[in-house]
Amino acid sequence: MKLPSHWDSFIKIFQKKFDSEIVYDRVHVFQNEEVINERFTTYEFATYLPGYIPVADDSGGQVAVISNNDEDAKVYFTSYGTLQEKDFKILDRDLLHWMQQKFPFDKRNDKMTEMTAEQQALFEKENDKMRQKVNQFQSLLNFWKQSYPIENLSLPENYPVMENILAFQDGYAFNSVLTKSLIGEKKGDFKESWLVIASNYFADPFFIDFNEAQENFPIYFAFHGAGKWTPIKVADSIDGFQEILNKIFENRFDKNYLDSFLKELTISGNEFWEEVYQNVSDMPDRAEEEQRQKNYESDWREAEVYITDIGPNKMKIVSLLKKIYKLSGAEALQMSKENRILYYKGPRKWIQVSVEELENLGATTEIVMLDLE
């Protein structure tokens, strides 16, 4: 099974933010291809929804799915009991944004809408027009050519792909789910002359105003989800902003340098730089960070749990094997007679649950760490 690239990006960020596969008490996020494949096979997606992949469920009957087409990043939901494309509802525009909204399963009630041929042609026309427009400004092209994705500080992490620059404006200038423009002239509206040039983890945009090309594009920031757009000027020019990002990126592991450098940017009381400064203050020192990274890498290393002796509660172990492997009673009983039984395979951080479950029944277990590729 080939998973879309946007799922790979999502799961890497998810695993940094959460230490459990169950989040917000009920949402079960499927974190590897093995688990996804198990759901795909168990619920016969190949028969009913061959073009879609299950990525999470609500620990009940509802399941979130994505298309296996990389060009469609939307998150849809349906129920395990129906699995009919015509019954899809849209949860969110993409997995990252859904995560930022805390994985709601009841946020949207919009029926799935597909672009008509006319709408698609219009979208491509507008995209070409925007590409031609930004190509006139070398400073913009330079900014994207030398980007600095900086994690965990509220700074830019996501940048547009030039070939599809219009799609990056989704959620700001327009809403692709509801197929409507979000541009307006009232205070708090997203303005027609604005262009989002980057966003951070929280989907907060960094943007320019084409009307300020003569000033070499001052950079603005706004908090997403506030109900209105309130621009905060974060740099006097796009070149100046890039220089700031470069210094932060090159010294991202030097907390003392960042503390001193960012303190200067907060003197004017800039709300955005004060938030970045606070994020730096909360950073661990380098030794702690290195140890945390080692722990993180170790936690997500693949491991296997084997039963080497089923112990006194034979039938309870048989029952577990029957459930895990979806075996008949006779097949599970036969498996229980093996000298070494694979019980679990997955990230090391989650094996303890399996080990405790087995050892509480009196079984003897063995943990095997798999070699890193």
Side-chain angles (χ1 to χ4, degrees), residues 80-342:
Y80 282 126
T82 56
L83 294 184
Q84 296 289 322
E85 191 171 354
K86 64 182 177 62
D87 295 324
F88 275 6
K89 292 183 180 178
I90 298 172
L91 279 174
D92 219 310
R93 66 174 190 247
D94 59 50
L95 285 165
L96 281 174
H97 193 259
W98 188 42
M99 176 169 64
Q100 290 152 8
Q101 305 304 311
K102 299 184 178 180
F103 299 106
F105 263 86
D106 54 0
K107 181 180 176 185
R108 298 189 183 277
N109 290 314
D110 312 301
K111 284 286 184 180
M112 183 176 64
T113 57
E114 295 292 340
M115 276 191 184
T116 64
E118 183 179 356
Q119 288 173 326
Q120 183 65 37
L122 179 61
F123 184 89
E124 291 174 0
K125 180 180 178 181
E126 291 299 316
N127 186 59
D128 288 341
K129 188 188 298 184
M130 184 171 287
R131 286 176 58 192
Q132 292 172 16
K133 188 172 185 178
V134 300
N135 271 322
Q136 299 174 43
F137 303 101
Q138 191 60 45
S139 58
L140 265 178
L141 302 179
N142 290 341
F143 179 78
W144 290 320
K145 185 177 181 180
Q146 187 60 62
S147 58
Y148 301 98
I150 304 170
E151 297 183 353
N152 303 322
L153 295 181
S154 298
L155 292 166
E157 292 189 29
N158 312 300
Y159 295 85
V161 176
M162 186 60 186
E163 289 72 22
N164 205 8
I165 182 70
L166 184 60
F168 201 74
Q169 311 309 305
D170 189 4
Y172 310 108
F174 67 93
N175 185 318
S176 65
V177 173
L178 301 178
T179 60
K180 71 175 185 179
S181 171
L182 301 177
I183 290 173
E185 291 304 319
K186 293 186 296 184
K187 185 177 181 180
D189 286 344
F190 196 90
K191 303 300 185 288
E192 187 173 9
S193 58
W194 292 355
L195 178 76
V196 179
I197 61 171
S199 66
N200 63 15
Y201 163 74
F202 301 102
D204 300 326
F206 298 84
F207 56 96
I208 61 163
D209 189 330
F210 278 115
N211 293 330
E212 297 178 333
Q214 292 296 321
E215 292 92 74
N216 195 20
F217 297 123
I219 303 298
Y220 299 93
F221 168 87
F223 290 101
H224 192 277
K228 62 180 180 179
W229 297 109
T230 305
I232 301 170
K233 189 176 181 180
V234 298
D236 292 331
S237 70
I238 194 168
D239 293 339
F241 188 51
Q242 190 169 41
E243 185 178 345
I244 290 171
L245 295 179
N246 178 37
K247 288 180 179 178
I248 293 174
F249 184 78
E250 289 186 345
N251 296 279
R252 61 192 181 280
F253 298 119
D254 188 339
K255 185 175 180 179
N256 290 332
Y257 174 87
L258 292 178
D259 186 85
S260 175
F261 178 70
L262 289 166
K263 198 168 187 177
E264 291 295 317
L265 297 174
T266 64
I267 290 176
S268 63
N270 187 288
E271 184 180 358
F272 170 74
W273 288 117
E274 285 180 348
E275 178 171 311
V276 177
Y277 178 73
Q278 185 59 51
N279 288 335
V280 168
S281 298
D282 294 338
M283 284 172 56
D285 61 33
R286 184 64 186 271
E288 290 176 351
E289 180 63 25
E290 288 177 347
Q291 185 58 47
R292 182 178 296 179
Q293 182 64 22
K294 288 179 181 177
N295 292 341
Y296 171 79
E297 291 172 355
S298 176
D299 281 347
W300 293 104
R301 186 175 168 186
E302 287 284 291
E304 294 175 336
V305 176
Y306 288 90
I307 302 172
T308 55
D309 186 337
I310 63 174
N313 291 297
K314 179 178 179 179
M315 295 315 297
K316 289 185 178 180
I317 298 294
V318 169
S319 178
L320 289 175
L321 294 175
K322 180 180 176 182
K323 179 180 177 182
I324 289 173
Y325 284 97
K326 297 180 173 56
L327 302 173
S328 67
E331 290 171 331
L333 184 61
Q334 184 61 36
M335 177 179 276
S336 72
K337 297 176 182 179
E338 296 176 9
N339 293 329
R340 197 164 178 263
I341 306 164
L342 176 62

